[in-house]
Amino acid sequence: MAYALYPPEFRIERDRDRCIACQVCVRQCANDGHIYDSEDDSISSDESRCVGCHRCGTLCPTGAITIRETPMHFKANGNWTARALRDIYKQAETGGVLLTGMGCDRSYPIYFDRILLNASQVTNPSIDPLREPMELRTFLGSKPDRIELDPSVTGIRLRTNLAPQLVLETPILFSAMSYGSISYNACWALARAAKAEGTFYNTGEGGLHRDFYPYGENTIVQVASGRFGVHADYLHVAAAIEIKIGQGAKPGIGGHLPGEKVSDQISQTRMIPVGTDALSPAPHHDIYSIEDLRQLIFALKEATRYSKPVGVKIAAVHNVAPIASGIVRAGADMVAIDGLRGGTGAAPTTIRDNVGIPIELALAAVDSRLREEGIRHRASIIAAGGFRNSADVTKAIALGADAVYIGTGALVAMGCHLCQKCYTGKCNWGIATQDPYLTKRLNPNIAERRLGNLLRGWSLEIKEMLGGMGINAIESLRGNREHLRGVGMTEAELKILGIKSAGEAW
Amino acid sequence: MKRIYVHEEYCIGCRLCEIHCLVQHSRSKKILKAFKEEFPRAVSRVLVEEHGYLSFALQCRHCEEAPCLEACITGAMYRDKRTEAVLCNEEKCVGCWMCIMVCPFGVIKRDLESNKVGSKCDLCLGEEMPVCVQNCPNEALTFEERTET
Amino acid sequence: MSHFYEKDMSGCGIIAIMNEKGVDISGERVMSAIASMRERTNGLGGGFAAYGIYPEYRDFYAFHIMFDTHQAKDETETFLKARCLMQDEEPIPTRPNRYITNPPLLWRYFLRPKDQYINGKSEADFMVSLVMHINANVVGAFVASSGKNMGVFKGVGYPEDIGDFFRLDEYKGYIWTAHGRFPTNSQGWWGGAHPFSLLDWTVVHNGEISSYGINKRYLEHFGYRCTLFTDTEVIAYLFDLLIRKHGLPLELAAKVLSAPFWDEIGRMEGSQRDFFTSLRIIYGSALVNGPFAVVVGHASGMVGLNDRIKLRPLVAARDGDMLYIASEDSAIREICPHPQKVWMPKAGEAVVGTLTPPSRKNIENGREGANPTSNGSDILIGKWGRRNGLRTLPAGISDRKGPG
C-alpha cells in the first residue's frame, strides 16, 4: 500500500472541551474522516480524508470542530507552490489525469473587481426603486432591427413577425448543470425556483428526467456532443434549445460524468448503461465547420417547427468574437459565452485552470464585434462564468450582455462549500452526488427557497443600482458602457472593454 | 391536535434531534453541562430508526386511544386537557413497564440510571415548538395539525 | 472656440411657439419669452431655431456653419463646392452686442447636391453625410443647421442677447424654438448650445440622458455618427431614424422614446398589448432614459415630449392657431397672457403641432421607408393615438405657399 509522501491539505481541530462525542460528525462525513471509539467514548479524525467541505463543523451542535489549512507548510517557494508540489505527488502515485470540480480558482485578474459603476447626482436625479417602477423584464431571442407596420382603417397593425422569445422577469438564469453531475433534488429545486421567479434553468448535457417535464416552460434543454437524452419529447417539452459546443471550465474538451455517478435513474435519463463513464466527445462529431453548425441549428428549428429559440453555448477563448459572429450568422437566436471561471462537475485540472479567457473581456469583445458588423440584434448574448453577486451581473449587462447564467452561485446558495470534489460523487451537501445516503441531505423545499431568495435579493440590488444611475428600464443599461469606469487597468484592457478610466467624465 | 410528523425522505440520520431532546430534558438544559457534567445523563425521548439509507425520527404519537393510558396501574400516564398530549407524571410512576409492553410503537424508554421511570415525548411542553423540530437541519420534522382525510 | 466634449448636464429653459396655419411670427416674441426664463440659465449658452425664414431659398439646404479659423472656412467651402451647387453664400447678419464676445466666423450657404455625387443614396442621406464629414473631419468647423427654409442661431451668452446679436427681430417664421442653457462647465462652446439640428430636425432639450451610451451605439448601427459631443443629439437622430427611415408615425416614435411601463402594457387589451410589447422588444435600445423635456421641430410641425416619469417640467398651451410649449407657464403668458387652453402633458404623452392643411403633392413624394398610407393624407392611429392624423413630410419640404 503506497504511503502518501505529503501532508494532507487540511487539519481537523477538535476542541476537546466542547466535543460531547455525539457522533454527528462521524455520521455526516461521507469520506469517513471522523471515527468513534466506543471504548473511551471519544472521536478521532483522519485528516488524509478531509476535503474541507465543512459539513462536520457546520452541523456540530457545540461548534467543537474547526477545519484549517494544514499548518505543516512546505518551505516558502514563489515558484514551487504547495499546490504545484501536491499535483506532482498525486500524479506520481496514480499516473492519471488530475481531476477537479467547480471553476478555476487561480488568481488571474478579476475584471469585475476593477470596474466601477456610476450614480446620478444633482444634474440627473436618481430613481427610488421602492417608489417608482423599475423594469428588469428581459427578452431573449432574435429581434429585427426595425418594425414593419401595416396601417389599416382600424388602426396600425404589426406586419413584423417576431421570432420566438424567452421572457424573463429578471436578467438572471440558472446555468447548465446536468442531472448526473448534480442530484435529482438539486435539479428539482432549480426547476421550481426558476418557475417561481419567472426565469429559466438549463438541463445541461444530462437529458431531462420525466418527472421534470411539468417545468418545461421554464426549461432550456441542451444538445451537447454526447447527445445524452436527446429525443423528440425532450425537444418539444422545452422552452428553448441550446447547442453546447463548449463550456468555460474545459474549453476544447467534452463533458465528463464518472461512472460512480451513473445510477439507474441517470442511466435511463441519459440513455447509457449503468456504471459507465459518460464521456462527451470533444467536438460534436457532426459539426466540423460553421456550416455544419448551421445545419444542426436549422434541423432543431425544423424539428420544433420554429416555435422556440435555438441558441449556442461556447467557451470564451481567444477568437471568441469572430466565432460568435459566425454563430449568429449561422442562425442562432442566443449565444451563451462561458468564461474562464465557469464551473463543472469534473474536469482535468490543467485544462480548467489554463484554458480560456475571462468573461468580462470576452463579452466586451463579442458585443463590440457584433455591433460593428451590424448583427447585434440577431441574437441575445448570455454571459456566464463565475458571477458572484448582483454587481457582477450589473456590470456584465452594462458591457453588453442581455442576461447572465449563474451556476456556481446557485450551488453555493443551496449549500455548496466549494471543496472541488464533485467528481468523487461524495458531496456531503447532497448536491453533486447520486448516493441515496447523501442526496437526502438536500431538501428541495429548502433549496428552492434559498434559490428564490438569491434571485430576489440580487434583483432588488440590481434595481437599486439602476435607480442610482437614473435608469428605470434595464434596456437602457444594456450595452451602455458610459456607466462603467475602470481602475487599475492598462490601456489595452480599457480598450478591449470599451470603457473609460475612473476620473474621466463623459 | 398538533403533532410531530416526520418526512423520512429528508431525514439525514444525523440524530441532532436526539441530542437536543436530551438537552431539553436535562437538569441544566445546557448542552455541555448536560453531556459532560450530569450523571446520570438525561434520556432522549426520540429515537432515529435506520435501515440502509432510510432513516426517520420516531417518538410518542400521542394516540387518540392510547394503550399506555389504559395500562398504567398508578395513573401516572394522563392526558393533558389543553394540548391533548399524553404525559407521564414521573412522581407517580413505579417503573412497572406495562406501558412499554403495550405501546405499539415502542417509543417509551426505561430511564434506568435515575429514578427507573418511563420516559417519553412530552412535546416539550412550555416551548413554542418541540426542540427536535426546531433543530432538525434539513426540516425533516414538522409540528402541525393534520385533519383526518 | 474649440471642439471639446461637453456633457450636457442642463437645468435649462425651453420655449417653442408655432402657428399651425403657417402664419409668420416675428422673432421678437420668442426672444421675450425666453428672456423671462433667465433664471434657468447662466449665460453660457442660448439658441434659436426658426422655420420658414428663407422662403426665397425654399428648395435649397441652408447650411449655417461656424468656423474657428479662415482655414477651416476655406477647407469647408472647397469640400462643399465640389459636391454641391452653391446658390448663395454670405455671412450671417449680426449686430454688436456687448455681452456677446469672441464670436466665431458665422456663415450661411444655400446648397443643392450635385447629382453625380449622390451615388444611390437619398438626397437627405447625402446631405447628412456631408454634415457628419464636416463636423468630424474639418478641424474648427461646425454645422449648426442643415435644413431647407430653416436655420439655427446659437452661441455663448444669454439667449436674448444671442437673439439680439443675430438680429432675430428681423426674421419671421411659423415655428420658433428657443433654449437657454445652464452648463456645469466653466467654458462655453458656441457649438455646444442648443438647438441641435440635422436636416430639418431641431432639438431643444432640458435634461440628461442616462441611456446615452446605448442610444449612441444603437444609432451607429444605422450609420449615424454622434459627433456633436453632447447627448442631446441622440434625440434628433432617433427621431430622424424612426420617422424618416423606419416610417413610424410620430406618436409611435414618442412611444418608443418614452416607452410605457410593462404594468401599463399589461393592462392593455390583446392586440394592443402585443403591439406595444413588440415595440419595446424591437426598440429597447432606443428607449431614452433619464430626465428630459424636449421640443423637436421639423418642417411641418413640432413635438414636445417628456421622459417616461416626467422628471422635467413641460407646459403646453393653445390659443387659436397658436401652439406653445415651454418649461414654464409664465414664459407662455409673457407673450400670450390668456391662452384658450393650458395643460401639463403627462409623462410619455407627446404634444404635437401640425402644419395644416397638408398638400397632396408632398405626400406623394413619399418618405424613405415610409409605410403606404391607406388614403392619401391621413393615417388613422386607432384608440391610442390622435384620430385625425399625424403626418410627417419629407425632410426639407414645406407646404407653405410663400412669405406670410
Side-chain angles (χ1 to χ4, degrees):
Chain A
M1 172 72 195
Y3 199 79
L5 294 179
Y6 52 96
E9 217 178 321
F10 296 102
R11 167 71 134 210
I12 302 173
E13 286 179 1
R14 182 178 297 273
D15 183 344
R16 295 285 164 192
D17 288 337
R18 290 193 186 197
C19 178
I20 54 173
C22 65
Q23 298 188 57
V24 171
C25 54
V26 175
R27 291 182 204 114
Q28 289 291 292
C29 181
N31 299 299
D32 300 321
H34 302 286
I35 308 127
Y36 176 66
D37 186 335
S38 50
E39 255 187 29
D40 49 4
D41 190 38
S42 74
I43 303 181
S44 60
S45 304
D46 179 359
E47 263 105 356
S48 68
R49 296 169 170 272
C50 178
V51 297
C53 74
H54 298 178
R55 182 76 176 174
C56 55
T58 314
L59 256 58
C60 173
T62 56
I65 303 178
T66 311
I67 308 294
R68 278 191 217 290
E69 274 191 46
T70 181
M72 187 151 140
H73 291 148
F74 292 101
K75 181 169 171 25
N77 192 319
N79 189 24
W80 288 98
T81 57
R83 166 192 230 143
L85 292 170
R86 284 216 171 84
D87 283 349
I88 292 187
Y89 293 135
K90 280 189 220 156
Q91 272 188 312
E93 274 168 30
T94 60
V97 166
L98 291 169
L99 282 185
T100 183
M102 304 308 278
C104 172
D105 57 0
R106 304 280 172 105
S107 56
Y108 295 115
I110 301 174
Y111 291 96
F112 286 130
D113 290 344
R114 301 186 189 181
I115 295 176
L116 297 169
L117 294 164
N118 194 18
S120 295
Q121 291 183 106
V122 179
T123 53
N124 180 349
S126 47
I127 302 174
D128 182 353
L130 295 177
R131 296 159 82 169
E132 307 273 0
M134 193 62 70
E135 302 182 310
L136 297 184
R137 188 173 296 175
T138 301
F139 293 83
L140 299 179
S142 179
K143 302 169 179 62
D145 68 347
R146 69 194 65 197
I147 206 166
E148 299 279 311
L149 295 173
D150 235 349
S152 71
V153 180
T154 51
I156 290 202
R157 270 196 334 260
L158 198 55
R159 195 195 298 162
T160 312
N161 271 328
L162 270 187
Q165 308 281 318
L166 292 181
V167 185
L168 283 66
E169 295 306 319
T170 176
I172 309 168
L173 309 98
F174 293 126
S175 195
M177 291 184 281
S178 65
Y179 172 43
S181 69
I182 57 175
S183 65
Y184 179 101
N185 283 347
C187 291
W188 196 14
L190 289 167
R192 286 156 58 171
K195 182 170 176 160
E197 299 301 322
T199 182
F200 295 83
Y201 86 107
N202 190 312
T203 60
E205 50 190 312
L208 184 64
H209 197 291
R210 293 254 161 208
D211 290 355
F212 301 143
Y213 278 31
Y215 301 97
E217 277 177 8
N218 296 82
T219 310
I220 300 176
V221 296
Q222 227 186 42
V223 173
S225 56
R227 305 288 159 89
F228 292 122
V230 178
H231 52 80
D233 291 343
Y234 177 71
L235 298 177
H236 287 306
V237 78
I241 304 173
E242 184 178 83
I243 300 173
K244 180 208 164 194
I245 299 291
Q247 65 180 105
K250 40 193 162 173
I253 67 174
H256 179 194
L257 185 67
E260 295 95 332
K261 288 170 103 172
V262 182
S263 65
D264 206 36
Q265 293 285 305
I266 304 287
S267 150
Q268 274 188 41
T269 306
R270 292 205 181 201
M271 298 156 31
I272 57 173
V274 177
T276 50
D277 280 353
L279 292 166
S280 304
H284 286 242
H285 283 301
D286 58 353
I287 301 179
Y288 274 71
S289 67
I290 191 73
E291 56 268 25
D292 293 339
L293 176 63
R294 183 177 167 82
Q295 193 174 55
L296 181 63
I297 292 174
F298 280 96
L300 291 168
K301 288 189 176 182
E302 288 278 338
T304 54
R305 300 200 198 289
Y306 296 87
S307 63
K308 44 197 92 183
V310 174
V312 175
K313 176 176 175 182
I314 53 172
V317 293
H318 304 317
N319 291 326
V320 67
I323 294 170
S325 167
I327 289 172
V328 172
R329 290 180 194 280
D333 300 309
M334 307 181 289
V335 179
I337 309 171
D338 198 7
L340 175 69
R341 302 274 179 191
T344 176
T349 316
T350 40
I351 298 203
R352 186 196 71 173
D353 291 347
N354 292 288
V355 184
I357 65 173
I359 185 62
E360 304 91 312
L361 300 173
L363 172 60
V366 168
D367 178 69
S368 299
R369 170 68 73 104
L370 293 180
R371 282 184 201 272
E372 274 164 41
E373 298 191 4
I375 54 175
R376 176 65 181 87
H377 56 284
R378 291 212 224 147
S380 296
I381 299 179
I382 310 174
F387 287 88
R388 306 155 298 171
N389 49 50
S390 55
D392 290 350
V393 176
T394 307
K395 291 168 190 173
I397 294 175
L399 283 173
D402 285 87
V404 154
Y405 267 136
I406 55 167
T408 308
L411 296 183
V412 172
M414 290 197 277
C416 169
H417 277 59
L418 263 81
C419 70
Q420 301 187 34
K421 295 287 186 292
C422 328
Y423 60 94
T424 60
K426 291 198 187 168
C427 174
N428 267 311
W429 296 89
I431 300 170
T433 176
Q434 304 304 323
D435 183 338
Y437 278 101
L438 304 175
T439 54
K440 304 176 85 189
R441 297 184 184 185
L442 186 70
N443 182 337
N445 299 324
I446 301 180
E448 179 196 346
R449 205 164 64 220
R450 294 169 74 101
L451 288 169
N453 284 345
L454 187 75
L455 287 181
R456 260 177 277 113
W458 282 16
S459 299
L460 271 174
E461 288 175 342
I462 295 173
K463 288 184 183 184
E464 290 274 0
M465 286 185 275
L466 283 182
M469 289 186 252
I471 290 178
N472 56 24
I474 195 129
E475 49 257 62
S476 294
L477 180 67
R478 185 172 302 125
N480 188 348
R481 298 185 190 174
E482 288 291 345
H483 283 300
L484 300 176
R485 290 294 186 271
V487 276
M489 290 207 254
T490 62
E491 283 290 315
E493 288 164 338
L494 287 173
K495 183 154 171 262
I496 294 177
L497 289 168
I499 67 181
K500 300 186 174 84
S501 170
E504 281 186 60
W506 299 84
Chain B
M1 65 170 282
K2 276 186 152 181
R3 290 194 176 83
I4 301 173
Y5 291 96
V6 68
H7 302 266
E8 69 278 9
E9 64 272 26
Y10 306 140
C11 176
I12 59 179
C14 64
R15 297 181 191 255
L16 277 167
C17 46
E18 292 181 8
I19 294 167
H20 287 282
C21 180
L22 187 158
V23 173
Q24 176 67 10
H25 293 91
S26 64
R27 278 192 299 284
S28 61
K29 300 210 168 123
K30 294 198 173 115
I31 188 167
L32 288 175
K33 279 192 161 178
F35 273 84
K36 291 185 178 246
E37 292 173 28
E38 287 182 20
F39 297 104
R41 201 181 264 185
V43 158
S44 164
R45 286 94 201 288
V46 62
L47 182 67
V48 174
E49 300 279 4
E50 275 187 69
H51 180 69
Y53 59 83
L54 181 65
S55 59
F56 57 90
L58 184 62
Q59 70 280 93
C60 170
R61 311 314 304 150
H62 299 279
C63 311
E64 274 180 23
E65 290 175 13
C68 58
L69 266 182
E70 308 282 323
C72 179
I73 57 177
T74 62
M77 284 293 183
Y78 70 98
R79 192 180 290 280
D80 178 70
K81 295 260 180 334
R82 191 177 57 85
T83 56
E84 294 182 62
V86 176
L87 302 175
C88 175
N89 181 346
E90 302 197 356
E91 313 265 294
K92 287 194 184 173
C93 176
V94 295
C96 72
W97 310 138
M98 283 309 294
C99 53
I100 295 179
M101 306 239 281
V102 301
C103 175
F105 297 97
V107 289
I108 309 183
K109 318 244 182 309
R110 296 179 292 165
D111 191 353
L112 288 169
E113 296 195 18
S114 65
N115 334 350
K116 304 213 177 16
V117 295
S119 275
K120 70 172 203 62
C121 168
D122 59 359
L123 291 183
C124 292
L125 282 186
E127 301 289 329
E128 214 180 284
M129 188 182 283
V131 297
C132 55
V133 176
Q134 271 184 45
N135 289 291
C136 174
N138 214 24
E139 292 181 11
L141 293 170
T142 48
F143 188 50
E144 51 183 302
E145 177 120 20
R146 286 190 190 172
T147 48
E148 293 304 32
T149 43
Chain C
M1 113 189 154
S2 58
H3 274 199
F4 64 88
Y5 190 69
E6 261 187 17
K7 175 68 179 65
D8 213 7
M9 305 193 162
S10 1
C12 339
I14 63 179
I15 171 91
I17 54 185
M18 173 183 182
N19 183 298
E20 285 187 298
K21 286 281 193 299
V23 172
D24 276 333
I25 311 162
S26 157
E28 283 171 339
R29 303 199 66 202
V30 74
M31 280 164 60
S32 58
I34 192 80
S36 77
M37 293 194 287
R38 195 179 171 91
E39 281 305 303
R40 287 183 157 267
T41 73
N42 67 354
L44 287 178
F48 299 81
Y51 290 79
I53 52 172
Y54 300 128
E56 62 280 17
Y57 293 107
R58 70 171 71 247
D59 292 326
F60 293 89
Y61 291 89
F63 273 41
H64 283 198
I65 311 186
M66 312 175 174
F67 301 109
D68 276 341
T69 60
H70 282 282
Q71 190 188 0
K73 176 170 177 297
D74 290 339
E75 198 183 321
T76 307
E77 285 178 359
T78 311
F79 173 76
L80 287 173
K81 283 180 179 156
R83 290 160 180 75
C84 303
L85 289 161
M86 198 175 280
Q87 179 77 355
D88 231 328
E89 55 182 304
E90 58 181 7
I92 301 178
T94 60
R95 67 165 76 96
N97 177 302
R98 61 191 167 110
Y99 299 109
I100 306 299
T101 55
N102 297 323
L105 298 166
L106 297 157
W107 278 69
R108 59 188 177 199
Y109 306 87
F110 296 95
L111 308 168
R112 191 190 254 150
K114 287 186 185 164
D115 284 329
Q116 66 266 40
Y117 280 96
I118 295 188
N119 240 353
K121 284 190 215 179
S122 73
E123 197 180 274
D125 278 336
F126 178 72
M127 300 311 284
V128 166
S129 69
L130 298 182
V131 173
M132 298 283 163
H133 174 89
I134 296 171
N135 287 344
N137 301 328
V138 180
V139 176
F142 178 72
V143 180
S145 62
S146 49
K148 289 184 181 173
N149 195 10
M150 52 81 65
V152 168
F153 304 87
K154 63 184 187 177
V156 174
Y158 280 102
E160 53 273 24
D161 295 323
I162 292 284
D164 175 55
F165 174 75
F166 278 108
R167 296 163 61 171
L168 292 184
D169 44 291
E170 296 172 12
Y171 292 80
K172 291 194 197 309
Y174 58 95
I175 299 178
W176 285 90
T177 69
H179 183 275
R181 215 172 155 220
F182 199 141
T184 41
N185 300 2
S186 52
Q187 291 179 47
W189 168 49
W190 276 63
H194 295 208
F196 281 96
S197 173
L198 186 68
L199 298 178
D200 70 329
W201 298 104
T202 59
V203 181
V204 289
H205 171 213
N206 172 10
E208 181 175 317
I209 302 180
S210 329
S211 55
Y212 172 70
I214 184 58
N215 297 141
K216 168 172 174 274
R217 295 176 87 201
Y218 176 70
L219 288 164
E220 282 167 2
H221 170 80
F222 295 99
Y224 293 84
R225 290 179 60 201
C226 294
T227 55
L228 305 181
F229 301 144
T230 164
D231 59 351
T232 304
E233 67 186 322
V234 298
I235 297 190
Y237 297 162
L238 281 169
F239 269 94
D240 185 56
L241 173 74
L242 294 171
I243 297 175
R244 186 172 67 85
K245 295 181 87 85
H246 289 186
L248 260 70
L250 200 145
E251 265 92 346
L252 270 190
K255 290 281 180 209
V256 166
L257 269 65
S258 294
F261 285 93
W262 288 120
D263 47 13
E264 190 188 323
I265 295 178
R267 286 193 292 270
M268 296 177 183
E269 45 79 29
S271 60
Q272 204 182 346
R273 184 178 61 231
D274 292 340
F275 182 87
F276 278 97
T277 303
S278 301
L279 200 67
R280 270 193 79 171
I281 292 176
I282 297 173
Y283 287 113
S285 300
L287 200 167
V288 179
N289 232 207
F292 67 83
V294 290
V295 178
V296 177
H298 56 98
S300 46
M302 63 182 189
V303 55
L305 186 63
N306 268 129
D307 65 271
R308 55 208 307 248
I309 49 179
K310 191 157 182 173
L311 292 171
R312 289 292 155 97
L314 201 67
V315 183
R318 280 193 187 280
D319 191 50
D321 295 324
M322 296 295 292
L323 171 64
Y324 303 89
I325 308 174
S327 298
E328 290 181 21
D329 198 345
S330 59
I332 297 173
R333 290 187 195 270
E334 181 74 17
I335 50 178
C336 177
H338 304 290
Q340 281 165 345
K341 178 178 165 203
V342 183
W343 77 100
M344 305 281 224
K346 289 206 274 258
E349 183 187 283
V351 176
V352 181
T354 316
L355 200 57
T356 55
S359 87
R360 183 151 286 277
K361 168 175 98 67
N362 295 319
I363 298 299
E364 283 161 5
N365 282 342
R367 329 185 275 290
E368 178 187 323
N371 291 290
T373 59
S374 56
N375 71 42
S377 59
D378 282 334
I379 297 176
L380 300 171
I381 303 292
K383 288 178 262 191
W384 38 262
R386 284 177 46 200
R387 215 175 165 277
N388 62 352
L390 53 98
R391 222 176 6 94
T392 56
L393 291 178
I397 297 181
S398 98
D399 60 355
R400 289 184 58 248
K401 300 287 188 300

